[in-house]
Every structure is written in structure tokens, then in C-alpha cells.
Amino acid sequence: MLHTWQSSLDNGHSVRLLCVDFSKAFDRVNHNIPFQKLLDSNVPQCILRWLFSYLSLRQQTTRVKRKTSSWQYLSGSMPQGFLVGPLAFLVQIDDLTPGCLTHKYVEDTAMTEILTSVTSASQMQFSSHTHQLDS
């Protein structure tokens, strides 16, 4: 990514960059979306069953000092601190194609346009596919 930007600048071009940080990315993962995409990608059933088992019927409780809440079932979201969360989020946004050079790293996305003229119109707004996290 840095090489592309530096090379473009070295060649007298301009670089237009849009950085996106999906807020609460793991909390917004709809389990159905990565499951369907993995199913469509012919991921083995044993992996899908394992993932379903890992994400199903999860519960949490909260403790403040000596007070503990009752257990609550969680719907949606991904557990953090384990590789499955970032992978599920990446599967969910994998088809994000804004029509320009795109680099994705977990919940951060950088979209780049190389402009040969500073008056060039942006092509970023003409996305070939729109994507919503809360589908």
C-alpha cells in the first residue's frame, strides 16, 4: 500500500485516500451473512458446524465489585480476542468493492485512487457493489 502511494507520488501523480474504520465491527457481524458466504464458497460442513456451535447459545454476565448480573443470551456479534471474530468480519465485507484499489485489514479499510491530474474526478463514489453491515 505504501509502495503504491510512494511510487505514484514519485511519478508526479496525486494520491486520494479514504480510510474507513468500521466502528464496533465485531458487534455488527450478522452471523447469517458469513455463514451464507462460507456455504456458497463450499467450505466443508464440519467447519460450518463447528463455527455454528461456537457462536450459538453464547451467554454473558457482568460483575461490578461483588454484584453479578443474571446470565443473558447474546444474539449476533463476534467474541473478541479469538481469530474467528476478525475472520468472520472479513468474510462479511469481502465483497466490498468500491471500484478502486482497496486494502482491508480486519475492521480497517483503505481505498486509494491514483490521480494523474489534481482536477481528476473521484471514481470512489461509483461503487460496483454497495454493502451494508446491518443487512
Side-chain angles (χ1 to χ4, degrees), residues 2 6 17 19 21 23 37-38 40 53 78 100 102 110 119:
L2 293 174
Q6 190 62 50
L17 174 66
C19 295
D21 181 353
S23 65
K37 288 181 178 184
L38 292 171
D40 293 345
S53 172
M78 286 288 156
C100 60
T102 305
T119 59

Side-chain angles (χ1 to χ4, degrees), residues 58-110:
R58 290 185 309 116
Q59 297 181 51
Q60 78 174 16
T61 186
T62 304
R63 183 170 55 182
V64 177
K65 296 187 181 183
R66 294 183 182 190
K67 298 275 187 179
T68 303
S69 68
S70 60
W71 286 92
Q72 298 292 316
Y73 283 100
L74 302 175
S75 60
S77 80
M78 286 288 156
Q80 295 185 33
F82 187 56
L83 190 57
V84 171
L87 287 175
F89 182 77
L90 287 173
V91 167
Q92 182 164 314
I93 68 164
D94 186 52
D95 58 352
L96 174 68
T97 54
C100 60
L101 182 61
T102 305
H103 293 88
K104 300 172 193 170
Y105 181 75
V106 191
E107 76 271 20
D108 297 313
T109 300

Side-chain angles (χ1 to χ4, degrees), residues 110-122:
M111 295 175 276
T112 302
E113 278 186 313
I114 307 303
L115 306 171
T116 55
S117 163
V118 288
T119 59
S120 298
S122 175

Side-chain angles (χ1 to χ4, degrees), residues 6-80:
Q6 190 62 50
S7 296
S8 298
L9 294 171
D10 288 347
N11 289 322
H13 303 301
S14 297
V15 176
R16 183 173 287 145
L17 174 66
L18 175 65
C19 295
V20 179
D21 181 353
F22 292 96
S23 65
K24 300 199 178 276
F26 302 135
D27 293 338
R28 296 174 186 252
V29 173
N30 176 335
H31 295 170
N32 296 323
I33 295 171
F35 271 114
Q36 187 61 52
K37 288 181 178 184
L38 292 171
L39 186 62
D40 293 345
S41 299
N42 297 317
V43 170
Q45 291 289 320
C46 63
I47 293 175
L48 292 175
R49 284 192 301 271
W50 175 83
L51 184 59
F52 180 78
S53 172
Y54 176 70
L55 295 174
S56 305
L57 303 174
R58 290 185 309 116
Q59 297 181 51
Q60 78 174 16
T61 186
T62 304
R63 183 170 55 182
V64 177
K65 296 187 181 183
R66 294 183 182 190
K67 298 275 187 179
T68 303
S69 68
S70 60
W71 286 92
Q72 298 292 316
Y73 283 100
L74 302 175
S75 60
S77 80
M78 286 288 156
Q80 295 185 33

